[in-house]
Amino acid sequence: MNVLELKNISKRYGAIQALDNVSLAIAPGEVVGLMGDNGAGKSTLVKVIAGNFAPTSGDILVSDQKVAFHKPLDAQKAGIEVVYQDLAICNNLSAASNVFLGREPTRRIGPIKVVDYAFMRSKSAELFARLKSETRPRDLVHKMSGGQRQAVAIARTLLSDAKIVLMDEPTAAISVRQVAEVLNLIRQLSDHGISVVLISHRMPDVFEVADKVVVLRRGELVADKKASDSSPEEITGLITGAIEHA
Amino acid sequence: MATPTLAEVINRSQHHGLIARITSQQIFWVFMAAVFACLALTLLTDSFATERNLFNVTRNFAFVGIIALGMTAVIASGGIDLSVGSTLVISAMTVSVIMSAGMPFWLGCLAALGISLLVGAVNGVLIAYAGMPPFVVTLGMLSVARSLAMVLSDNKMIYEFGPDHDFLLWLGGGSTLGLPHPLIIMVILACLTAFAFRHLRWGQHLFAIGGNENAAVLTGIPVARIKVSVYMFSALMAGITGVLEVGWLGGVTTNLGQAMELTVIAAAVIGGANLAGGGGTAFGAVVGALLIEVIRNSLILLGISTFWQGTFVGSFIVIAVAFDRFRQRKS
Ligand SMILES: Nc1ncnc2c1ncn2[C@@H]1O[C@H](COP(=O)(O)OP(=O)(O)O)[C@@H](O)[C@H]1O
Ligand SMILES: [Mg+2]
């Protein structure tokens, strides 16, 4: 069974063919490194999967069922979560509040419903523990490292029983130590049976965590192979076009 | 009892170093400044610590404080409300016109608060749904609402309030157990606001919107609806103040609450509301209002021209913001 399968996905923006007949299958718990030069279509592919917009043609299957996403919420309900880099985190709130943002649990006191902070803290502590992150639920995100912020964003996906998590350039702007933290988080997700699509320009990161490497070049999928059967040199060649196809 | 784990100890030192935590808050220093100003005035003048003066100070401060609660909510959500002074006067005028026509207080009060909520709703809808900048919308409303108040009253002074005349004057100008009513009402509203900020989803969401509106949208928070409610809340606070202030003054003219928006914004900002959005507390709004009123009062008592007041209020806003910038750069 595949968590996600793309069949002949194409996406045009007017005259630009951003995705050209892309087919791809992702198994449960699989970590896919998605690579390609600027403008190759990586972000477009993520947006199609996340329901930001529909493909021009082609099919998306989730757990072998054909789906049509009209808005991001549809994809979310199907178990597809996106970790936006810094976009979906509020610096002025605590880690726990961020994990539960928009889905705060409440309990009744007489006629009014109050936010259940105790539950939010204990549940997010549990999620951070599951991710083996040292993030503390009560800390303000404002004071956190890039790695801890990622943990907050990723904990949110655990809250909603995601099947697959899409990460667009999570390691672009953070320090080496924090990169290691993020890669650990990805491994934790995978250990819990959640698939991850990791977009990254950093070859070592991809080879460190990915089971499979996929390369897009000018909208075409030119490689889809096990990381252990490939090498950074080969992938570089595929990205630039020095190697036509793998 | 089990021995605490390392994580617990670290946690405690982070969150329970009470003195360190308190002194790191801007509001603590503002509070100290207010206390210091009061002490200094008590020593320097014979007139500050008199019952009569304190009565006036507390009541004036309560009016600014109540509106500052609403302003804090707006500022924390990333907006600004310049129309509070005009909302105050349209509320005051509505209750006055209705009561002077012989209607009971409750009807006038209800109409006044209803009109105020309507003003807030118009602000909110234009900002949240039409996507217009809060500064522009509420600046327009500042002019519109005051002009409507003039139309409503034909720009006459009203000082006869029909059958419930005495009740209105008692409500705004009287006191219970030595405490002026506006002060009591401010304390109650401040507690309710603090509760809503901290314990309702509404509060969580408005701070989330102020912190990162994009994130709020992405996580499915009903951003537009919350924004409308925030401007309505601000207008309601101004409306309540309008009714109380008529009772205190015993009469109303259309210049009531003029230029009040700056004093209120200053109070909120001094109390820690972050003009960039995402920060502010109900307690801060009250303490900010206290400091401003004490300083205003001290100018009068020390025989300094009240013309200086604007200089203080304006400088305070700028200094408070500069202070905030400085702190952000440090961290
Ligand atoms: N909203 C859009 N409208 C028009 N063209 C777009 C849009 N988004 C992306 N493109 C184009 O589609 C191609 C793929 O872009 P993108 O998916 O962002 O690539 P990547 O993320 O790999 O850098 C590029 O040529 C880009 O200019
Ligand atoms: Mg991109």
Side-chain angles (χ1 to χ4, degrees), chain A residues 13 16-18 36-45 47 53 168:
Chain A
Y13 296 107
I16 300 171
Q17 184 85 42
D37 207 351
N38 285 335
K42 306 180 297 293
S43 295
T44 304
L45 189 64
K47 284 175 185 160
F53 37 61
D168 198 345

Side-chain angles (χ1 to χ4, degrees), chain B residues 144-329:
Chain B
V144 171
R146 186 168 299 279
S147 139
L148 288 180
M150 290 177 180
V151 173
L152 194 66
S153 66
D154 208 11
N155 212 11
K156 282 200 291 276
M157 171 145 180
I158 301 176
Y159 45 86
E160 282 294 340
F161 300 104
D164 287 342
H165 181 97
D166 292 341
F167 176 75
L168 180 67
L169 266 55
W170 173 83
L171 184 69
S175 60
T176 300
L177 302 172
L179 299 171
H181 291 152
L183 182 72
I184 297 173
I185 291 172
M186 182 201 70
V187 170
I188 294 169
L189 290 174
C191 291
L192 289 176
T193 307
F195 178 84
F197 281 177
R198 173 91 185 119
H199 293 288
L200 298 187
R201 293 184 84 197
W202 179 75
Q204 279 270 300
H205 290 174
L206 89 83
F207 280 91
I209 293 169
N212 185 346
E213 186 166 342
N214 217 332
V217 172
L218 285 171
T219 52
I221 289 172
V223 172
R225 253 189 301 156
I226 302 271
K227 278 192 181 178
V228 173
S229 75
V230 165
Y231 284 92
M232 289 176 74
F233 177 70
S234 169
L236 180 65
M237 292 298 127
I240 290 173
T241 308
V243 173
L244 293 174
E245 203 157 353
V246 178
W248 171 49
L249 295 169
V252 57
T253 59
T254 48
N255 61 11
L256 183 68
Q258 209 142 37
M260 194 159 186
E261 54 282 341
L262 271 190
T263 311
V264 171
I265 291 170
V269 169
I270 290 168
N274 182 349
L275 280 171
T281 61
F283 184 55
V286 169
V287 172
L290 174 66
L291 182 63
I292 289 209
E293 177 53 27
V294 168
I295 287 187
R296 200 185 68 90
N297 187 250
S298 68
L299 294 182
I300 298 168
L301 297 185
L302 296 172
I304 301 168
S305 161
T306 48
F307 295 159
W308 282 101
Q309 202 182 316
T311 305
F312 274 92
V313 168
S315 309
F316 266 15
I317 295 180
V318 175
I319 290 169
V321 171
F323 187 72
D324 212 50
R325 277 287 143 81
F326 176 69
R327 228 179 11 180
Q328 261 166 20
R329 194 161 314 159

Side-chain angles (χ1 to χ4, degrees), chain B residues 94-179:
Chain B
T94 304
V95 71
S96 304
V97 166
I98 289 179
M99 286 181 74
S100 66
M103 310 281 194
F105 168 77
W106 68 265
L107 193 66
C109 181
L110 217 63
L113 299 187
I115 292 264
S116 305
L117 285 171
L118 188 66
V119 167
V122 171
N123 280 339
V125 166
L126 288 175
I127 290 162
Y129 289 97
M132 297 171 71
F135 184 86
V136 175
V137 171
T138 59
L139 185 62
M141 186 56 85
L142 174 149
S143 171
V144 171
R146 186 168 299 279
S147 139
L148 288 180
M150 290 177 180
V151 173
L152 194 66
S153 66
D154 208 11
N155 212 11
K156 282 200 291 276
M157 171 145 180
I158 301 176
Y159 45 86
E160 282 294 340
F161 300 104
D164 287 342
H165 181 97
D166 292 341
F167 176 75
L168 180 67
L169 266 55
W170 173 83
L171 184 69
S175 60
T176 300
L177 302 172
L179 299 171

